[in-house]
Structure formats: C-alpha cells, structure tokens
Amino acid sequence: MSESTAKLNADKHVEYIVNLGRAENTLSYHLTEHLRLNGIYWAITSLSLLGRIDALDRSAVIEYVGNCWNSSNGGFSSHPNHDTHILSTLSGIQILITLDAVEEAKIDTSKVVDYILQLRPSNQGFFTGDEWGESDTRFTYCAISTLSLLGALDRLDQVESGTSIKQKIVSWFTQCINFDGGFGNNIGAETHSGQVFTAVAALAIIDRLDIIHTDNLSWWLSERQVQNGGLNGRPQKQEDVCYSWWVLSALSILHRLHWINKDKLISFILSAQDPDCGGIADRPGDVSDVFHTLFGVAGLSMLGYPEIERVDPVYCMPVKTIERLGLKKSYTLL
Ligand code: GRG
C-alpha cells in the first residue's frame, strides 16, 4: 500500500487522527471501546507533538474523559461504565494534564491517588493493573507516573514493616534485572524493550537509575537496530515502528541516544507512513493505526526531526507540559 516517502506527511496524519474520532458508524470503532481512553491519549499526544492539538474538540474530549472517571473507586475506565484499570487511569490523567483541564473535568485527584495506592499488594514493591492481581512492570510504571503527574510521589515515602514503599519498589526492580541488563514484565521474565522503557522511566521518576547497568543495557538496546534501520523489541524478532519509542526513550534517559543510527531509523519510520490515508503503521505496507502514529512521531521527535515538538522520554508527553509541572528529569535528545 504505502511507498517510502522522504518527508513527514504531518497534515495527512492530523487528518487521519481527526477522522478516527468520526468513525462512530464503523464496527472497529465499537470493537475498540476497551482501548478508547488509551487511543485518545495516543491521538492527543500525536496532535500536540505535531503542533495541532486544536484539531480535536477540547470540550468533547474533556467531557468524555470525565465520563470515564469512576467517582466511587477513583479510577478511570477506557469507556464509560467499563471496569477501571491502572492503564486507563494513567491515560485519563495524561489527557487532562496535556489539555490543562484537571480542574475543569471536576476530578477529585485525591481519590485517583488512593485508587493507585490500593493497587499495591501489602508489603510488595509492585502494583497490579486492577483488583484481579496481575503484576507487570507496566503497571508499576503507570502507578509511579500517575502519582508523579498528580504531585503525590511523596506517598511512596510511607514506611511499612520498617521499609518505605519506594525502597520496596527499587528492590523489586533490582530483582527484575536480567543478565543482559534489561527487564521483562516480572522477576525472571525475558528482557523486552517495552518493559525496559517502563523500568528505566519509573526508576528515573523516583531518582534511582543508579541500580541500572547503563552500558550493558544501552548495548542491548542499540543491538535492536536491524539492517533496514528499524528497531525490534528483542533479539530475532521483526522490526516495528513502536520500538522507535520504547528503545529510544530508554536510551535517551540513559544518555546513549547516539548509539543508534539516526538517519536509517528516520528513513524506516517515514517509510511506514500511509501516503493516501495518513497515519503510520508498524512497518512499511501495513495498515496504519494511532498507536504506531504516536510512537513514530515521538521517535522522530527524539531524533530531532524538524517541525515536531519535543517529547519527554520519561512521561511520553510534550516537554512543555512536563516543564509546566516542574517534573523534568535528566535525559538527552538529538
Ligand atoms: C505512557 C508510553 C506510555 C506507556 C504506558 C502500557 C505501558 C505504560 C507500557 C507498555 C510497554 C510495552 C510492554 C510495550 C511493548 C508493546 C508491544 C509492541 C508488544 C509486542 O510484544 P510481542 O511479543 O512482539 O507481540 P515482539 O515484537 O516481541 O515479537
């Protein structure tokens, strides 16, 4: 379908994202309800990086996000009346903060903080996604990022059986480190670059990057670049545009972004654009979607591609938003 193009087709991508919100009469729109709030976060962040956040109806988005908030338990669901989850809770907060609309949405953020905190099993250093107890480095990142965005990181200083929650988290991440310096989704699980991002970014937020074997992990991350310039998520796997985010964000936080061949990766991301309908796919010739559109645009942003706003590699939100909150950490962008 798509042929490699030399330049970013920003206008087409904006049009593609706006049209997704107008596809209410399609089956796929309804079949993706369980991802809707994540989808809106991917859309808002892409548009913001492309300098077109005004392209979506701000008050309609705020109203929708408000309807996803469950005032009884404090969490967000991905669609009104669905079950709440830590992933949709982070997305809900990210959207409202990017739109500077937390107060406007009338969300009681102290309830959101309590919702997050009760998702940590007692005495453990990890968080679960919901009340059913699944653990994954993703969920611990979501908890730490949400608490930080809401200015409630100090709640992790609370001491329980002689150790602070923060120390328990650091100890859990330390146990997750593999021989290659990377992280899987749990202790002993295979290193995967998506999980590496969650661990590195979470540790950056709580100022404990010292437990990471920086050169070892950065070597493993830079080995993810394949012949055509794209990155894969782990050895022997296919390249995919979304790893332009998961790999580059971790390298940026570790100050080793220059260990990637920038020009080859830019050309791989651009070759996955759909020149007719807009959007970016996982790889050239595939159908585009908003997830890969965000992570393609965010990858280009970290590589210093012109006319894209800077993305913060720790929070995956615009740098200007994170600076407004005073949460900027140390990292290097190209
Ligand atoms: C705010 C950016 C942001 C994230 C929130 C949800 C989350 C926290 C992080 C997800 C991290 C993660 C695990 C990303 C990887 C997603 C992905 C493409 C998985 C594919 O896995 P496989 O095994 O693919 O299907 P491979 O490429 O290994 O064959």
Side-chain angles (χ1 to χ4, degrees):
M1 185 217 309
S2 66
E3 208 180 290
S4 168
T5 43
K7 285 183 71 177
L8 182 73
N9 230 330
D11 289 345
K12 275 273 174 212
H13 301 327
V14 172
E15 195 184 313
Y16 165 77
I17 292 168
V18 171
N19 283 338
L20 286 176
R22 295 190 182 129
E24 285 167 0
N25 291 330
T26 64
L27 180 61
S28 62
Y29 184 88
H30 295 283
L31 290 178
T32 52
E33 271 181 0
H34 63 292
L35 286 172
R36 184 78 70 239
L37 214 55
N38 307 114
I40 297 175
Y41 155 68
W42 299 327
I44 289 275
T45 310
S46 306
L47 290 173
S48 184
L49 297 179
L50 293 170
R52 287 296 313 280
I53 200 161
D54 58 315
L56 284 188
D57 181 342
R58 184 177 181 277
S59 31
V61 171
I62 295 169
E63 190 186 338
Y64 183 85
V65 177
N67 290 336
C68 290
W69 187 57
N70 182 327
S71 57
S72 321
N73 74 4
F76 288 79
S77 54
S78 224
H79 189 66
N81 303 318
H82 282 213
D83 289 344
T84 55
H85 196 279
I86 203 163
L87 286 171
S88 30
T89 300
L90 172 59
S91 291
I93 293 301
Q94 286 174 306
I95 297 165
L96 293 178
I97 287 183
T98 302
L99 294 175
D100 201 4
V102 178
E103 278 180 29
E104 209 174 320
K106 300 194 174 61
I107 305 296
D108 181 346
T109 55
S110 69
K111 281 193 159 186
V112 183
V113 168
D114 288 341
Y115 172 76
I116 297 289
L117 291 171
Q118 55 84 35
L119 285 174
R120 186 185 58 90
S122 65
N123 267 321
Q124 298 297 336
F126 62 84
F127 289 76
T128 63
D130 55 21
E131 73 268 37
W132 304 112
E134 187 193 358
S135 80
D136 188 311
T137 45
R138 280 181 303 161
F139 306 149
T140 301
Y141 167 77
C142 290
I144 291 173
S145 179
T146 310
L147 291 176
S148 173
L149 290 169
L150 294 178
L153 214 48
D154 59 342
R155 297 290 294 273
L156 299 181
D157 295 332
Q158 193 194 315
V159 175
E160 187 188 68
S161 316
T163 320
S164 72
I165 300 174
K166 188 169 156 182
Q167 283 169 290
K168 289 180 205 289
I169 292 171
V170 173
S171 155
W172 185 72
F173 273 123
T174 305
Q175 292 173 75
C176 286
I177 298 178
N178 290 323
F179 72 94
D180 48 22
F183 299 80
N185 63 0
N186 269 296
I187 298 171
E190 179 192 358
T191 299
H192 189 287
S193 59
Q195 313 292 347
V196 169
F197 156 75
T198 61
V200 172
L203 289 166
I205 295 173
I206 59 173
D207 297 319
R208 286 307 310 269
L209 285 172
D210 58 290
I211 69 162
I212 288 182
H213 310 296
T214 304
D215 279 348
N216 198 14
L217 177 55
S218 302
W219 172 82
W220 185 90
L221 287 165
S222 64
E223 283 289 306
R224 306 282 50 81
Q225 190 158 33
V226 301
Q227 203 59 40
N228 67 5
L231 308 176
N232 62 16
R234 45 191 166 142
Q236 307 301 327
K237 291 292 209 156
Q238 254 190 308
E239 67 281 10
D240 180 321
V241 162
C242 76
Y243 296 118
S244 314
W245 167 260
W246 309 114
V247 173
L248 292 193
S249 55
L251 281 172
S252 166
I253 297 166
L254 298 175
H255 300 278
R256 301 285 189 282
L257 202 45
H258 56 289
W259 287 17
I260 286 291
N261 183 322
K262 163 182 161 166
D263 294 335
K264 285 191 83 170
L265 180 54
I266 288 178
S267 120
F268 172 75
I269 298 172
L270 294 178
S271 71
Q273 299 181 101
D274 182 328
D276 304 317
C277 305
I280 302 177
D282 53 358
R283 58 189 74 88
D286 285 354
V287 176
S288 53
D289 60 76
V290 66
F291 173 88
H292 289 94
T293 302
L294 168 61
F295 294 128
V297 170
L300 292 171
S301 162
M302 285 183 281
L303 295 170
Y305 192 88
E307 290 170 35
I308 300 181
E309 284 198 24
R310 292 306 219 169
V311 67
D312 183 290
V314 175
Y315 294 94
C316 198
M317 292 165 68
V319 165
K320 63 178 184 208
T321 306
I322 297 304
E323 281 179 344
R324 165 166 57 83
L325 300 177
L327 295 177
K328 193 166 179 286
K329 294 291 175 185
S330 167
Y331 54 77
T332 306
L333 302 173
L334 295 183

